[in-house]
């Protein structure tokens, strides 16, 4: 949860934000000092006070942060953040919120935050949330997201939660009788060295395919995965636990400005284990654009088309199991009523038990119906002798006289012990994802100035509709319908409409805030929420910066061009939701814009109000499920990091085979494109040129 310091912040406030005394700690192993803990408790009780409500049979309003022990859970989350600089910034933020001097400067109230009465504290937080200063808005959003997720994403001691009961949300479902074990893996005890032909760093859409193809070609393959190796019994469906265990950086990674959470898989199978199973081939127009931009003829070639066909066949991609849940039915009905494009979602599933617990499959499919790389390519690879090591964080690639000769990393076992692992290999393939692949390349001594550049994130948001009947947006197939009605608003850039299951962690993170009571009332209406998800094909890039400590940091902001496309999508989404009977439409802005749809001129007023709030820099909730670029593929070493074969221009025998190679954003869910690139790279290594 990182916070930046924009240039427009007043110099007096900037000095206060960066004074060393604000982040000084007497105990470096404790996430918070006593003073910071008091501030955190006060912020939690302000966002989540115990409230009186005329009708509260499930005690949603009565159960505040104190009773739910939310501050304790937030403190543990802060302690689990991997990047020490991000932890320090959160501590610093709590110091700033508490400071009487800052409160005098920003709100005219020279009192410590924790000493203020509740109503005054809420006014202070509202000032942060609505501030004209991006830094203050980012600070508010960082705390708000942490606290609301901590409150909603874990059950109470009785296995339920007041918010869950209030909307009829079932919470984690019973485990199925069929048990699917984890993949077999190589145990590592003590400092170890392995030898192989190819070491693959990462086991997701890129690394899993490379391992499967090369093992089938007779190569001796070792696969190193940073995350765990879950079996079906490990998939508890408790959102907080699964986010912390199976997602990159415990699901807590943010852009440096605090404007966007970043969700990516960090487990055996990577993103293919926890994604929404949406399986699009890269559109022809994007392939042609990528070839023009990269100077290649690869993406428009028959060879690449064959790679797409192969991976689609191995994943059993089709539309047989795309029965729409209520939220998808609403999307389809709205598109058809308005004469817009709509189609069935292609998915990589087999014998999917639609309607049973598919809405939970973003936390892993316990029935084995999702054809992740763990269920396909990695299973193939292990059956052919490939060795898998989970819990292994690769520190760097070993380079000797300009050639990659292996990797070195650390394996953390379930008992908490850590063991150094060296893997010697003739070929190294890095497929750690668009955030961590650039970090590994930098830590390995590569100096190419293009590393980390060209990052795209497909910022995603939504417009919500409130319906008189129950929608239960957490149920049904993950994604079953989509619309490309405004996928091209000019130059190939626009917004794809999709839906997604709405569980409480993302709701807590995304719902707009304009006071504790309003937020609680909004949460209580979740069962009646239908949504249009907005997936932006972003034109303008950010970058990954790797600090001297080796941690990757994501610098990204929506530009005016891309925000203008979001604005168009907000208007169209509201139109669609009203067409199919939504009585109200809401934005995911802070403060949220809400408008009844039964009044003349409502749409114009809705869009005008959303425009006043804004779409950039912590004004609107976004999340990134798709990270792309940072080690772009291309012909010219001056404008790309890897060659058409996937080999880095700078170091021989070092290959990249993941979304980092994308020359630009894909505009569609990128899994199949990553896998096709990995298939292309692996078949080249196997001699199938």
């Amino acid at each position: 949860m990182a916070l930046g310091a924009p240039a427009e912040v007043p110099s007096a406030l900037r000095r206060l934000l960066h004074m060393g005394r604000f982040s000084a700690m007497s105990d470096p192993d404790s996430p918070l000092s006593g003073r910071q803990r008091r501030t955190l408790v006060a912020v939690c009780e302000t966002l989540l006070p115990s409230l009186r409500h005329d009708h509260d049979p499930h005690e949603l309003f009565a159960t505040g942060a104190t009773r739910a022990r939310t501050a304790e859970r937030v403190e543990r989350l802060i302690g689990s953040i991997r990047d020490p600089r991000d932890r320090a910034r959160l501590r610093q933020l709590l110091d700033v919120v508490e400071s009487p001097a800052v409160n005098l400067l920003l709100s005219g109230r020279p009192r410590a935050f924790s000493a203020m009465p509740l109503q005054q504290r809420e006014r202070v937080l509202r000032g942060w949330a609505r501030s004209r200063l991006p830094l203050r808005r980012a600070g508010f959003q960082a705390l708000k997201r942490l606290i609301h997720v901590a409150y909603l994403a874990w059950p109470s001691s009785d296995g339920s939660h007041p918010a869950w009961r209030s909307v009829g949300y079932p919470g984690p479902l019973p485990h199925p009788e069929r048990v699917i074990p984890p993949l077999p893996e190589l145990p590592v005890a003590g400092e170890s060295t392995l030898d192989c032909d190819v070491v693959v760093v990462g086991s997701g859409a890129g690394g899993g395919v490379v391992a499967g193809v090369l093992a089938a070609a007779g190569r001796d393959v070792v696969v190193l995965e940073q995350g765990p190796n879950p079996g079906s019994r490990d998939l508890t469906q408790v959102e907080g636990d699964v986010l912390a265990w199976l997602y990159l950086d415990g699901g807590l990674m943010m852009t440096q400005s605090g404007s966007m959470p970043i969700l990516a898989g960090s487990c055996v199978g990577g993103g293919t284990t926890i994604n929404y199973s949406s399986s699009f081939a890269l559109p022809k127009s994007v392939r042609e654009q990528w070839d023009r931009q990269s100077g290649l003829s690869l993406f428009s070639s028959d060879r690449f088309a064959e790679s797409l066909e192969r991976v689609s066949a191995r994943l059993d991609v089709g539309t047989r199991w795309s029965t729409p849940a209520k939220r998808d039915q609403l999307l389809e009905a709205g598109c058809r009523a308005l004469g817009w494009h709509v189609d069935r979602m292609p998915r990589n599933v087999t014998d999917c038990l639609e309607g049973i617990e598919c809405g939970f499959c973003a936390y892993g499919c316990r029935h084995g119906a999702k054809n992740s790389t763990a269920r396909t390519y990695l299973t193939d690879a292990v059956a052919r002798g490939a060795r898998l090591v989970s819990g292994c964080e690769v520190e760097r690639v070993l380079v000797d006289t300009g050639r990659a000769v292996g990797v070195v990393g650390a394996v953390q076992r379930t008992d908490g012990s850590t063991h150094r692992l060296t893997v010697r290999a003739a070929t190294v393939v890095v497929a750690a994802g668009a955030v961590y692949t650039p970090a590994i390349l930098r830590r390995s001594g590569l100096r190419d100035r293009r590393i980390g550049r060209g990052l795209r994130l497909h910022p995603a948001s939504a417009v919500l509709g409130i319906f008189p009947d129950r929608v239960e947006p957490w149920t049904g197939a993950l994604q079953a319908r989509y619309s490309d009605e405004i996928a091209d608003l000019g130059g190939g850039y626009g917004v794809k409409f999709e839906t997604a299951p709405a569980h409480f962690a993302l709701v807590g993170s995304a719902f707009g805030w304009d006071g504790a009571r309003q937020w609680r009332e909004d949460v209580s209406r979740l069962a009646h929420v239908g949504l249009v998800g907005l997936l932006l094909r972003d034109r303008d890039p950010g970058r990954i910066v790797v600090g001297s400590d080796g941690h990757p940091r994501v610098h990204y902001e929506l530009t005016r061009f891309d925000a203008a496309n979001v604005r168009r999508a907000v208007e169209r989404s509201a139109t669609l939701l009203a067409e199919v009977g939504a009585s109200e439409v809401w934005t995911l802005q802070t403060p949220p814009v809400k408008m009844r749809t039964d009044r003349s001129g409502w749409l114009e007023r809705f869009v005008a109000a959303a425009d006043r709030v804004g779409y950039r820099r912590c004004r609107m909730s976004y999340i990134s499920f798709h990270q792309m670029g940072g080690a772009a593929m291309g012909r010219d070493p001056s404008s790309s990091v890897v060659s058409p074969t996937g080999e880095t221009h700078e170091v021989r025998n070092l290959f990249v085979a993941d979304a980092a190679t994308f020359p630009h954003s894909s505009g569609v869910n990128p899994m199949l494109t990553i896998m096709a690139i990995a298939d292309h790279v692996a078949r080249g290594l196997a001699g199938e040129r």
Side-chain angles (χ1 to χ4, degrees):
M1 295 274 182
L3 305 176
E8 63 265 39
V9 176
S11 58
L13 176 56
R14 189 178 302 160
R15 287 195 298 272
L16 287 168
L17 286 170
H18 295 290
M19 285 174 65
R21 63 184 176 88
F22 276 164
S23 55
M25 297 282 295
S26 57
D27 179 3
D29 296 323
S30 174
L32 299 178
S33 68
R35 180 173 182 264
Q36 292 160 348
R37 193 171 295 112
R38 286 193 302 274
T39 308
L40 175 61
V41 168
V43 175
C44 289
E45 292 175 344
T46 307
L47 290 174
L48 295 164
S50 177
L51 298 170
R52 293 180 62 86
H53 194 274
D54 292 339
H55 182 70
D56 192 23
H58 303 293
E59 300 188 301
L60 169 59
F61 289 83
T63 304
T66 301
R67 181 173 163 187
R69 308 183 73 167
T70 303
E72 297 174 25
R73 187 164 279 135
V74 173
E75 186 171 359
R76 289 196 294 271
L77 288 174
I78 293 172
S80 72
I81 293 172
R82 287 167 51 87
D83 190 335
R85 209 169 72 168
D86 287 350
R87 292 196 303 272
R89 286 180 173 180
L90 275 169
R91 294 195 299 263
Q92 184 182 78
L93 172 61
L94 290 169
D95 285 325
V96 172
V97 170
E98 180 73 1
S99 168
V102 172
N103 288 329
L104 173 63
L105 180 66
L106 295 179
S107 66
R109 299 175 178 88
R111 299 182 67 181
F113 182 83
S114 60
M116 295 177 184
L118 175 60
Q119 289 184 344
Q120 190 174 2
R121 295 201 307 265
E122 186 171 82
R123 285 196 297 270
V124 169
L125 289 187
R126 188 176 282 109
W128 280 72
R130 294 185 169 200
S131 174
R132 64 181 180 84
L133 300 176
L135 180 60
R136 291 183 71 196
R137 300 197 300 272
F140 170 79
Q141 290 294 340
L143 291 175
K144 180 255 188 198
R145 287 174 179 135
L146 267 178
I147 291 166
H148 283 160
V149 167
Y151 178 72
L152 291 171
W154 282 271
S156 306
S157 57
D158 63 359
S160 183
H161 190 285
W164 303 0
R165 292 192 296 270
S166 72
V167 303
Y169 177 78
L173 302 176
H175 279 283
E177 291 185 6
R178 180 190 177 202
V179 177
I180 301 173
L183 280 174
E185 61 177 305
L186 181 71
V188 175
E191 185 170 337
S192 304
T193 300
L194 303 175
D195 292 282
C196 62
D197 297 329
V198 183
V199 59
V200 181
V201 181
S203 65
V209 171
V210 169
V213 171
L214 290 179
R219 303 296 194 273
D220 181 12
V221 177
V222 170
V223 181
L224 305 179
E225 169 55 51
Q226 177 178 291
N229 180 18
S232 63
R233 284 284 172 178
D234 300 312
L235 305 176
T236 65
Q237 297 183 349
V238 175
E239 286 187 278
D241 290 344
V242 178
L243 283 168
W245 198 48
L246 300 184
Y247 282 71
L248 187 67
D249 288 6
L252 296 177
M253 177 170 279
M254 300 275 288
T255 57
Q256 287 288 286
S257 67
S259 62
M260 196 181 312
I262 294 171
L263 286 186
S266 183
C267 57
V268 171
T272 69
T273 295
I274 51 83
N275 69 11
Y276 289 156
S277 75
S278 302
S279 304
F280 290 102
L282 189 66
K284 180 176 182 291
S285 60
V286 178
R287 295 186 217 182
E288 293 169 349
Q289 181 200 31
W290 282 16
D291 275 342
R292 290 193 301 271
Q293 184 169 334
S294 63
L296 303 175
S297 56
L298 168 66
F299 298 106
S300 301
S301 69
D302 291 342
R303 177 184 176 86
F304 190 72
E306 290 166 3
S307 288
L308 279 168
E309 290 172 4
R310 271 192 295 268
V311 299
S312 296
R314 183 65 187 92
L315 268 62
D316 196 19
V317 171
T319 58
R320 298 178 300 286
W321 291 283
S322 293
T323 302
K326 184 65 177 291
R327 54 189 155 78
D328 281 295
Q329 292 171 18
L330 292 169
L331 175 66
E332 181 173 22
C335 287
R336 295 199 184 284
L338 294 166
W340 296 358
H341 168 269
V342 66
D343 206 348
R344 295 167 65 90
M345 180 72 76
R347 304 175 63 218
N348 63 314
V349 297
T350 303
D351 295 330
C352 179
L353 300 175
E354 298 171 302
I356 304 299
E357 57 179 69
C358 287
F360 288 88
C361 282
Y363 304 117
C365 177
R366 304 193 300 191
H367 299 274
K370 185 190 294 185
N371 294 318
S372 66
T373 55
R375 298 284 296 156
T376 55
Y377 284 95
L378 288 171
T379 295
D380 299 344
V382 169
R384 291 180 169 95
R387 290 166 284 174
L388 170 67
V389 180
S390 69
C392 179
E393 182 168 4
V394 171
E395 298 168 6
R396 67 185 188 281
V397 177
L398 300 173
V399 179
D400 183 20
T401 61
R403 287 179 177 271
V405 295
V407 302
V408 62
V411 179
Q412 184 164 2
R413 306 317 312 172
T414 55
D415 62 4
S417 61
T418 301
H419 308 293
R420 193 166 186 80
L421 175 65
T422 300
V423 182
R424 296 188 297 234
T427 301
V428 176
V429 180
V430 179
V435 174
Y436 272 88
T437 285
I440 292 172
L441 298 181
R442 283 284 185 228
R443 292 199 298 258
S444 305
L446 276 71
R447 299 180 179 277
D448 190 326
R449 66 181 181 85
R450 302 295 306 177
I451 293 173
R453 300 281 179 173
L455 177 74
R456 270 83 179 185
L457 295 181
H458 272 178
S461 190
V463 176
L464 310 183
I466 308 302
F467 290 85
D469 297 328
R470 290 178 66 86
V471 178
E472 298 188 351
W474 55 84
T475 59
L478 289 164
Q479 295 181 315
R481 296 292 184 272
Y482 74 97
S483 173
D484 280 341
E485 180 64 22
I486 60 168
D488 187 353
L489 290 170
Y493 302 98
V495 174
K496 183 182 288 289
F497 292 144
E498 301 176 346
T499 75
H503 297 273
F504 275 92
L506 293 187
V507 166
S509 173
F511 267 27
W513 186 89
D514 197 32
R517 184 173 294 275
Q518 161 266 319
W519 184 85
R520 210 84 62 95
E521 288 173 346
D522 290 353
V523 167
S524 73
R525 302 179 73 182
L526 180 63
H528 293 264
V529 167
L531 61 93
V532 177
L534 318 178
L535 183 68
L536 174 72
R537 186 185 183 212
D538 43 345
R539 185 190 72 175
D540 299 322
R543 68 189 190 281
I544 300 290
V545 174
V546 183
S548 58
D549 57 4
H551 284 281
R553 296 180 176 103
V554 180
H555 293 261
Y556 184 97
E557 292 296 338
L558 230 65
T559 62
R560 293 184 185 278
F561 175 90
D562 287 324
N565 285 342
V566 172
R567 179 189 185 276
R568 294 275 298 278
V570 167
E571 180 179 15
R572 293 292 191 95
S573 300
T575 301
L576 184 153
L577 291 164
E579 181 69 26
V580 289
S583 58
E584 297 178 49
V585 289
W586 299 354
T587 66
L588 295 182
Q589 293 170 300
T590 292
V593 173
K594 301 179 179 181
M595 195 71 61
R596 291 193 59 84
T597 62
D598 58 356
R599 298 169 184 172
S600 176
W602 73 268
L603 182 60
E604 293 78 8
R605 292 196 304 276
F606 175 76
V607 174
D611 288 349
R612 286 193 294 273
V613 176
Y615 306 94
R616 304 172 62 214
R617 299 178 73 87
C618 298
R619 297 286 195 189
M620 186 167 185
S621 291
Y622 295 98
I623 191 167
S624 169
F625 299 102
H626 308 151
Q627 301 83 45
M628 303 158 283
M633 182 178 285
R635 186 168 305 281
D636 185 352
S638 69
S639 59
S640 61
V641 176
V642 303
S643 74
T645 65
E647 188 175 32
T648 64
H649 294 303
E650 191 172 347
V651 174
R652 287 170 292 171
N653 298 344
L654 173 58
F655 292 78
V656 176
D658 62 16
T661 62
F662 284 21
H664 210 293
S665 55
S666 61
V668 296
N669 305 57
M671 177 178 66
L672 285 189
T673 305
I674 299 168
M675 299 178 96
I677 289 173
D679 178 87
H680 160 75
V681 170
R683 290 181 185 280
L685 287 169
E688 299 181 24
R689 294 290 181 201

